[in-house]
């Protein structure tokens, strides 16, 4: 065990406990008393000065195959180490849990060639012949992306490639788009469309895809259609725009496959009923539409809009007959949260876990009450929950993948927040280095 410096490890643990205890007490007092002016935050975490030593020990423990001991000696923490290695960080996106509990993970920035990993147990391996993916809400269908196109498979696991159910060649998708949008620069004109996909959700048995990217939001149908949802084609023509490029594009598909929720920075929040074809629009509660997620039972959708690092989230109930009064765009809907700029979310049976710009997870019930909060450590980038709600995977801009046991019923003395949640595993997926288990 020549990788371990016991003195530095002890300093790491002592300071970690001190800071977690003091910041938890500070937040408790603030939340209970309305954040009085005289309340002073604790002294900053002092572990940044030993970040280099800690990284070397993480590397040494991985080389020695002693990551279990590493976690005991050096409990993971993000900020003290990521703040010292900013040039190595990259966003991590946990894309979807598969039926066997394994996880597809994308590492890399937007509009660049990233790496697709499969995390299973203590192993992390690259996925051959694919650089991005997306899953259906139940994990049954997976859409895999490469330079040739998108292929949808059913029943993929760590031990099986699954059965192919649909193929969407880029050549075909782009040619159809070019016909539909002849005078506009769009996804049809991108040399490497496989690099620009931000979100991809297969549904309807893999016969449809919701594709979200910086060149617009598209509904792709295996029967041959490719529809631009946002920005709206009619608006582009009316305002004589030259391209479909949008900022902060986002979208979701309801688990029952009936509804689409989507938007971008300069749009409204949109809700499309695939049964009737109607599209409803809602004004954001903050400045810019930023995120949308359907509930697990497809009975409501939550929309978030941001302003700098803050934001507001409201919900819209969905009725089986689709006759909810959506006509008034300025109607006030139930507010779920008035603080968070939401980057990612996971819908659970009784509410939503929202991940924000400050690195916090907050579990909000369907009446807008905060059940718990948990500090991950850096800005949230992606999130997905296992179907039985036992595990949550969270990826951050700090280049880390966190695996959290939601049903642990306990918390670590090193964790910040109110959640009885235990982090069981972590992967450091930084640029230009081998993945490190922590």
């Amino acid at each position: 065990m020549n990788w371990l410096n016991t003195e530095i490890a002890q300093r790491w643990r002592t300071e970690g406990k001190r800071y977690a205890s003091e910041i938890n007490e500070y937040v408790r007092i603030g939340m209970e008393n309305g954040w009085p002016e005289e309340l002073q935050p604790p002294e900053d975490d002092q572990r940044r000065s030993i970040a280099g030593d800690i990284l070397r020990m993480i590397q040494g423990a991985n080389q020695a195959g002693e990551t279990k001991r590493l976690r005991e000696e050096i409990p993971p923490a993000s900020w003290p180490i990521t703040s010292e290695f900013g040039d190595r960080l990259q966003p991590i996106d946990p894309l979807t849990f598969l039926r066997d509990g394994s996880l597809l993970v994308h590492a890399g920035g937007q509009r660049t060639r990233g790496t697709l990993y499969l995390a299973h147990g203590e192993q992390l391996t690259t996925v051959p012949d694919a650089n991005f993916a997306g899953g259906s809400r139940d994990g049954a269908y997976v859409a895999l992306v490469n330079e040739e196109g998108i292929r949808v498979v059913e029943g993929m696991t760590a031990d099986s490639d699954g059965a192919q159910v649909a193929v969407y060649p880029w050549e075909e998708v782009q040619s159809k788009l070019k016909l539909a949008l002849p005078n506009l620069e769009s996804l049809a004109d991108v040399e490497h469309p496989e690099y620009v996909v931000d979100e991809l959700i297969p549904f309807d048995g893999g016969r449809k895809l919701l594709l979200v990217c910086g060149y617009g939001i598209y509904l792709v149908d295996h029967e041959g259609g490719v529809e631009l949802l946002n920005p709206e084609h009619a608006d582009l023509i009316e305002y004589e725009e030259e391209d479909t490029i949008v900022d902060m594009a986002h979208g979701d598909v309801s688990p029952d496959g009936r509804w689409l929720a989507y938007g971008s920075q300069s749009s409204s929040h949109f809700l499309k009923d695939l049964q009737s074809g109607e599209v409803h629009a809602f004004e954001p509660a903050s400045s810019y539409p930023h995120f949308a997620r359907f509930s697990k039972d497809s009975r409501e959708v939550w929309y978030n809009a941001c302003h700098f690092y803050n934001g507001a989230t409201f919900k819209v109930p969905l009725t089986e007959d689709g006759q909810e009064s959506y006509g008034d765009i300025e109607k006030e809907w139930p507010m779920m949260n008035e603080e968070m700029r939401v980057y990612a979310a996971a819908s659970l049976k009784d509410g939503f876990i929202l991940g924000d710009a400050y690195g916090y997870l907050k579990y909000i019930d369907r009446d807008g009450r905060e059940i718990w909060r948990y500090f991950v450590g850096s800005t949230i980038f992606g999130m997905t929950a296992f179907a039985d709600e036992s595990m949550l995977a969270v990826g951050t801009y700090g280049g880390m993948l966190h695996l959290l046991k939601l049903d642990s019923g306990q918390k670590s003395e090193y964790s910040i927040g109110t959640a009885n949640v235990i982090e069981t595993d972590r992967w450091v997926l930084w640029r230009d280095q081998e993945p490190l288990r922590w």
Side-chain angles (χ1 to χ4, degrees):
M1 201 178 300
N2 55 9
W3 56 267
L4 179 62
N5 183 316
T6 56
E7 180 182 347
I8 290 178
Q10 179 63 51
R11 286 174 57 192
W12 178 270
R13 293 194 302 273
T14 300
E15 177 64 3
K17 287 180 186 178
R18 191 277 306 172
Y19 183 71
S21 174
E22 292 183 6
I23 199 71
N24 283 334
E25 181 65 7
Y26 166 73
V27 172
R28 184 192 66 78
I29 295 171
M31 293 181 68
E32 291 180 358
N33 298 279
W35 299 100
E37 290 185 9
E38 63 272 18
L39 181 63
Q40 296 297 312
E43 181 184 6
D44 288 342
D45 192 323
Q46 299 298 309
R47 291 177 288 178
R48 290 178 59 174
S49 63
I50 56 174
D53 298 299
I54 295 298
L55 179 59
R56 283 187 288 273
M57 282 191 273
I58 295 171
Q59 292 168 333
N62 274 262
Q63 291 169 1
E66 297 177 353
T67 54
K68 182 179 179 180
R69 180 65 184 275
L70 168 69
R71 195 173 184 85
E72 295 170 353
E73 295 284 351
I74 307 174
S78 293
W79 173 248
I81 185 169
T82 57
S83 58
E84 296 301 293
F85 297 98
D87 59 335
R88 303 190 195 182
L89 309 184
Q90 62 180 344
I92 305 302
D93 194 358
L95 301 167
T96 186
F97 276 106
L98 306 179
R99 288 285 180 88
D100 64 345
S102 56
L103 175 71
L104 287 174
V105 183
H106 182 260
Q110 296 171 305
R111 303 190 186 186
T112 60
R113 182 181 179 88
T115 302
L116 184 64
Y117 293 103
L118 179 71
H120 185 60
E122 299 180 1
Q123 304 300 315
L124 187 78
T125 56
T126 57
V127 179
D129 196 30
N131 62 278
F132 193 78
S136 60
R137 291 302 176 215
D138 60 2
Y141 295 90
V142 174
L144 297 160
V145 181
N146 64 15
E147 66 277 4
E148 296 177 357
I150 302 167
R151 67 187 190 279
V152 180
V153 298
E154 181 181 10
M156 182 180 179
T157 66
D159 299 319
S160 171
D161 293 335
Q164 185 169 289
V165 297
V167 178
Y168 303 84
W170 284 124
E171 183 178 2
E172 183 178 317
V173 170
Q174 289 186 302
S175 64
K176 289 175 180 176
L177 265 181
K178 201 63 182 173
L179 287 174
L181 310 169
N183 300 313
L184 291 165
E185 180 186 353
S186 71
L187 183 63
D189 303 291
V190 179
E191 183 178 0
H192 291 286
E194 71 274 16
Y195 296 170
V196 304
V197 180
D198 296 329
E199 296 180 71
L200 186 64
I201 305 172
F203 63 106
D204 192 18
R207 294 183 292 272
K208 292 184 176 67
L209 302 171
L210 181 67
L211 191 159
V212 178
C213 68
Y215 291 87
I217 303 168
Y218 300 89
L219 175 59
V220 185
D221 192 312
H222 194 250
E223 297 300 319
V226 183
E227 177 186 356
L228 175 66
L229 300 173
N230 181 255
E232 295 180 277
H233 191 191
D235 289 344
L236 295 173
I237 299 302
E238 179 180 352
Y239 296 109
E240 299 181 347
E241 300 288 350
E242 297 181 350
D243 57 57
T244 64
I245 295 173
V246 291
D247 292 317
M248 301 191 321
H250 56 275
D252 193 26
V253 180
S254 63
D256 65 5
R258 176 176 175 179
W259 305 90
L260 304 179
Y262 55 92
S264 57
Q265 179 177 317
S266 58
S267 76
S268 300
H269 296 296
F270 291 112
L271 176 68
K272 183 179 179 70
D273 185 347
L274 293 176
Q275 195 171 93
S276 67
E278 291 184 84
V279 177
H280 310 280
F282 310 97
E283 281 296 296
S286 186
S287 299
Y288 308 108
H290 192 247
F291 193 79
R293 178 68 80 239
F294 287 97
S295 62
K296 198 168 184 177
D297 62 5
S298 301
R299 297 302 300 273
E300 58 192 42
V301 59
W302 290 25
Y303 289 107
N304 174 262
C306 65
H307 184 78
F308 293 104
Y309 262 40
N310 301 306
T313 301
F314 65 87
K315 74 173 180 180
V316 176
L318 307 174
T319 57
E320 292 184 10
D321 59 9
Q323 297 304 308
E324 177 69 46
S325 177
Y326 299 131
D328 183 0
I329 191 172
E330 296 183 355
K331 178 176 177 177
E332 292 189 10
W333 300 96
M335 193 65 64
M336 297 293 100
N337 179 272
E338 297 184 77
E339 300 172 335
M340 305 175 74
R341 174 174 178 166
V342 178
Y343 277 80
S347 53
L348 306 183
K349 179 173 63 72
D350 296 322
F352 290 72
I353 299 176
L354 307 180
D356 72 6
Y358 293 104
Y360 265 97
L361 305 178
K362 294 181 183 178
Y363 184 24
I364 312 292
D365 74 12
R366 293 171 80 157
D367 293 319
R369 295 184 294 255
E370 181 180 317
I371 306 303
W372 53 250
R373 61 176 58 189
Y374 181 92
F375 184 59
V376 174
S378 56
T379 299
I380 309 298
F381 186 77
M383 187 191 316
T384 187
F386 190 48
D388 68 2
E389 303 185 3
S390 62
M391 295 295 297
L392 182 75
V394 181
T396 71
Y397 279 92
M400 296 195 184
L401 169 68
H402 307 253
L403 297 173
L404 307 176
K405 188 169 178 57
L406 295 178
D407 59 358
S408 68
Q410 56 183 313
K411 62 180 298 186
S412 166
E413 59 189 332
Y414 298 95
S415 70
I416 295 172
T418 61
N420 288 327
V421 169
I422 291 288
E423 182 183 283
T424 61
D425 215 345
R426 182 184 300 205
W427 287 92
V428 181
L429 304 174
W430 289 354
R431 291 192 187 98
D432 303 322
Q433 75 170 33
E434 289 296 312
L436 297 173
R437 188 168 178 237
W438 190 359

